[in-house]
Amino acid sequence: MFLLPKGNPLYENVAAAKVKLPEILDKLKNGGFTGYLNFLFPSANVTLFFEGGKLISTMCEQGSKNTSGFEALTELCSQIVAGDGSLSVYRLSRDLVMGLHALLHGEVLYKAQELKLINVKGLLEKMKARKLNGCLRIYTEDRSALIFYKEGSPLGFFHDGASEIETSATESQKIAGLPGAKVDILSTKSADELMHMDLLEMVNIDKIWETTRARHEAQVQQQYKEAQERDKRHQDAKLLELEDDLKEVAAAYLGKMGRALIEKELADCGGRIALLDHDRITKFLAGVERSSKLLTSISKLKEMTELLQKEIGRLSM
Amino acid sequence: MEFLSEVSTVALIQTIFWFLAGIISFYFSIGNARIWTSISLGFFLIFISQAYLLAPWSDYPRLAAIHYIIGTISIMVMTHGFQEYYVFSRTLEVGGSKWLVYLACLVVILLSTLFVFINPEPTYNVLRNIRMIENANWVFLSLINIDMIRKIYMQVRDSVIANGFIAFGIVFVCIFLWKGSELYLQVFCWDNDWSLFMQSIGAYHNIDYPGRVNFSLLVNQVAGLLSGLSVGGTFIYLFRLLR
């Protein structure tokens, strides 16, 4: 996951599930927002870059898989409706957004060049001469620093562990001095050129959002239905087991007629599902008691009723 | 004849036994399930049907007729009770109320009494006819009840109550012999009432088969006593069993 400078935080750690993406994007568009939105989900991290209210780029990181554009927006919608994420919104300068855009989507001019093998001074002069817009990434295996450039001049420095852009190059120089330090150079279009791009104009976010929500709702419904069916099967199995237990108790006190009696009284109360309803349990036990009076003694009947009640009580535990 | 004087003594003892059996069965009917009400009330009514012998106006023909009719009602109520028990043992359905049973019996007895009073006073011959009808009912319904009790027993044989039905079976065998022997004597005009009737009209009446008559009377007396005893015993047994 890329660590990005936080700039001016507008919102931090807002529950993503509460976000209605089309509405918030519309608001940012109308407000001419410049900065980025960072959605953090358990299995994905989505960043949307805005410049002057235009959505200039998107990036979705899911494990080792990175997607952008339409795919990233679709994934973002799916993750939001699934819940369990958070949103942070940071306002940045246009130039810095341009630098970050370079970092994520820029053209790679140099890749993994060992710093000790190149002429850094010459490289910086070359960048200045070419009026390069972009980002220079210096890194070792466990540390990294970013230097953002506008028209060949450094805009600021950013490194791991920092939350803000710094004006001092000290940390970047330290990393550059480490053994095995490498450099990437990424360039992008100027901020003005980037303004010509607007994903919101290219993609019907409302439709993506509604489709995703509808699909998610259908999935939730399906899962709910499956869960209900599973619960029902589980409950049926438990009730069947309970009915067998009740029959065994009745058979012990009333003989084979006991089994038939339990079956008949349960049927009269609407089936074994009645064993989940207090009123129907009372009716069922009263029915069993009324008929049992013709088959056994009062004392045994009392004993049997207590046992039946105990068996039924176990179900609610 | 010599045996006639003995009959009244035995009948008195029988009535006392039926009285005890009646008290026990009536008490049993109060605190038990509805179906037992019909059965035990039927047995209680046997006592009422026998009690006319103790009544000071037992010679009053209308009262005797009412007692015989109550005897018929008692076996019908009992049979109805066993029928209901059999239905219960097959379907496990229990319906109705105790008070309805008591009330229905009372209404039938009152209507029967009304029937006796709106008709001419019964002669000895009419009384004998009523008694024959009573005995015929007892004999055939006892057989039906024995079969029904057998069927009930098959259904409930592994429950606590099963032995109670064996006892009821014994009761109805005794009753069958008791009432059957009397019916036998009546059918062949060897009974006491017929002798009285013949005497009253001054006719000659000779019994050609004294051996059969004496044996039938013996069976009648012994089975009558055993019936009363077995009913009392059965209800005491049931009472203890269902406590």
Side-chain angles (χ1 to χ4, degrees), chain A residues 254 256-257 264 294 297-298, chain B residues 85 92 158-159 241-242:
Chain A
L254 308 173
K256 68 169 183 180
M257 281 184 75
K264 186 244 170 198
L294 288 158
S297 64
I298 301 293
Chain B
Y85 203 107
L92 296 165
D158 53 355
S159 69
L241 200 69
L242 300 183

Side-chain angles (χ1 to χ4, degrees), chain A residues 11 27 33 35 63 90 92 127 131 133 161 202 222 235 258:
Chain A
Y11 304 102
K27 210 177 268 182
F33 174 71
Y90 303 101
L92 295 174
M127 284 173 68
K131 293 193 171 180
N133 292 311
M202 294 154 74
Q222 180 65 22
Q235 193 184 61

Side-chain angles (χ1 to χ4, degrees), chain A residues 55-304:
Chain A
L55 180 61
I56 56 167
S57 74
T58 58
M59 165 70 102
C60 173
E61 300 167 71
Q62 272 185 300
S64 58
K65 185 186 161 198
N66 287 354
T67 51
S68 59
F70 176 80
E71 274 183 88
L73 280 173
T74 309
E75 184 56 36
L76 173 62
C77 290
S78 300
Q79 293 283 350
I80 290 173
V81 293
D84 276 352
S86 66
L87 163 67
S88 299
V89 183
Y90 303 101
R91 193 189 292 280
L92 295 174
S93 67
R94 286 179 70 199
D95 298 333
L96 213 48
V97 169
M98 178 193 68
L100 291 173
H101 182 264
L103 175 68
L104 300 178
H105 301 286
E107 185 192 345
V108 180
L109 298 180
Y110 293 97
K111 176 81 178 163
Q113 297 293 311
E114 286 203 29
L115 273 168
K116 65 178 179 184
L117 299 177
I118 59 172
N119 177 359
V120 177
K121 198 178 173 187
L123 182 69
L124 293 176
E125 278 172 7
K126 202 173 170 184
M127 284 173 68
K128 198 164 189 174
R130 285 177 63 181
K131 293 193 171 180
L132 201 74
N133 292 311
C135 171
L136 193 146
R137 181 164 57 196
I138 303 164
Y139 58 97
T140 62
E141 275 188 10
D142 52 357
R143 298 188 69 182
S144 72
L146 301 169
I147 307 169
F148 298 105
Y149 282 85
K150 184 188 175 188
E151 293 177 354
S153 302
L155 279 173
F157 304 88
F158 181 71
H159 60 86
D160 295 343
S163 59
E164 300 300 334
I165 294 284
E166 292 172 3
T167 48
S168 157
T170 318
E171 188 64 25
S172 304
Q173 282 168 346
K174 271 186 194 171
I175 295 169
L178 290 171
K182 291 177 183 174
V183 65
D184 294 342
I185 298 178
L186 302 120
S187 79
T188 186
K189 293 169 188 170
S190 69
D192 292 334
E193 280 175 294
L194 286 173
M195 284 285 284
H196 297 306
M197 289 173 65
D198 187 1
L199 271 168
L200 293 177
E201 296 294 325
M202 294 154 74
V203 171
N204 187 343
I205 194 73
D206 287 312
K207 197 167 182 184
I208 295 173
W209 176 252
E210 287 309 322
T211 309
T212 310
R213 274 187 54 164
R215 194 176 59 235
H216 179 74
E217 270 173 34
Q219 276 173 349
V220 168
Q221 283 292 327
Q222 180 65 22
Q223 282 168 354
Y224 178 71
K225 206 175 154 187
E226 280 171 9
Q228 265 190 328
E229 279 171 10
R230 204 168 42 246
D231 286 352
K232 194 177 175 300
R233 276 197 299 275
H234 180 64
Q235 193 184 61
D236 282 350
K238 276 179 85 174
L239 287 172
L240 181 67
E241 194 184 324
L242 175 61
E243 187 183 336
D244 283 342
D245 291 346
L246 296 179
K247 280 179 180 174
E248 264 176 46
V249 171
Y253 284 89
L254 308 173
K256 68 169 183 180
M257 281 184 75
R259 287 182 168 276
L261 182 62
I262 295 291
E263 216 163 272
K264 186 244 170 198
E265 289 300 335
L266 274 181
D268 285 356
C269 292
R272 60 179 80 100
I273 194 85
L275 295 169
L276 296 171
D277 180 88
H278 181 264
D279 290 343
R280 287 200 282 172
I281 289 171
T282 311
K283 190 185 163 201
F284 162 72
L285 288 173
V288 170
E289 203 174 316
R290 188 176 59 239
S291 296
S292 300
K293 274 185 183 175
L294 288 158
L295 297 165
T296 192
S297 64
I298 301 293
S299 57
K300 287 200 171 179
L301 174 61
K302 202 177 157 196
E303 208 177 292
M304 182 185 83

Side-chain angles (χ1 to χ4, degrees), chain B:
Chain B
M1 287 194 294
E2 192 186 326
F3 64 81
L4 290 175
S5 61
E6 288 172 16
V7 171
S8 58
T9 313
V10 172
L12 187 68
I13 298 167
Q14 269 182 20
T15 310
I16 293 166
F17 280 171
W18 278 115
F19 171 70
L20 295 172
I23 296 292
I24 295 164
S25 62
F26 190 76
Y27 182 68
F28 185 80
S29 81
I30 295 169
N32 249 301
R34 217 280 301 153
I35 292 176
W36 286 120
T37 310
S38 304
I39 296 171
S40 50
L41 187 63
F43 281 106
F44 173 73
L45 289 176
I46 299 179
F47 160 67
I48 304 288
S49 74
Q50 295 292 302
Y52 78 98
L53 291 168
L54 303 176
W57 55 87
S58 62
D59 285 339
Y60 182 53
R62 279 203 167 96
L63 188 68
I66 290 166
H67 278 284
Y68 296 148
I69 291 170
I70 289 175
T72 312
I73 293 168
S74 82
I75 182 66
M76 290 171 86
V77 172
M78 235 182 280
T79 307
H80 175 69
F82 281 109
Q83 255 177 356
E84 283 199 311
Y85 203 107
Y86 176 63
V87 170
F88 162 74
S89 72
R90 299 306 300 235
T91 65
L92 296 165
E93 289 291 343
V94 187
S97 80
K98 283 179 175 219
W99 289 110
L100 199 67
V101 176
Y102 290 128
L103 199 68
C105 284
L106 190 67
V107 168
V108 172
I109 291 168
L110 289 175
L111 286 174
S112 304
T113 308
L114 184 70
F115 176 80
V116 170
F117 275 93
I118 60 172
N119 280 297
E121 189 175 88
T123 60
Y124 280 125
N125 200 29
V126 172
L127 282 178
R128 187 173 170 275
N129 287 342
I130 297 172
R131 202 166 175 180
M132 272 180 78
I133 292 167
E134 182 202 352
N135 286 335
N137 271 310
W138 272 100
V139 169
F140 294 113
L141 291 180
S142 291
L143 288 174
I144 285 169
N145 282 344
I146 289 168
D147 182 50
M148 208 133 57
I149 284 165
R150 181 187 65 80
K151 285 176 179 166
I152 292 169
Y153 177 77
M154 298 303 284
Q155 285 296 114
V156 301
R157 63 182 159 191
D158 53 355
S159 69
V160 173
I161 200 77
N163 288 341
F165 281 93
I166 293 176
F168 274 126
I170 295 166
V171 165
F172 278 102
V173 169
C174 293
I175 289 176
F176 171 74
L177 293 173
W178 174 39
K179 296 290 182 180
S181 57
E182 194 175 326
L183 183 65
Y184 173 68
L185 292 170
Q186 284 171 328
V187 166
F188 287 94
C189 299
W190 294 332
D191 58 314
N192 191 33
D193 288 340
W194 184 256
S195 299
L196 289 173
F197 172 66
M198 293 304 275
Q199 278 171 21
S200 70
I201 59 169
Y204 171 75
H205 175 57
N206 184 37
I207 296 171
D208 298 326
Y209 302 95
R212 292 182 190 196
V213 172
N214 285 334
F215 178 72
S216 297
L217 279 172
L218 182 70
V219 170
N220 180 257
Q221 289 159 12
V222 173
L225 283 173
L226 288 176
S227 300
L229 274 175
S230 59
V231 169
T234 299
F235 278 103
I236 288 172
Y237 175 69
L238 282 177
F239 196 73
R240 289 166 64 92
L241 200 69
L242 300 183
R243 199 165 44 185

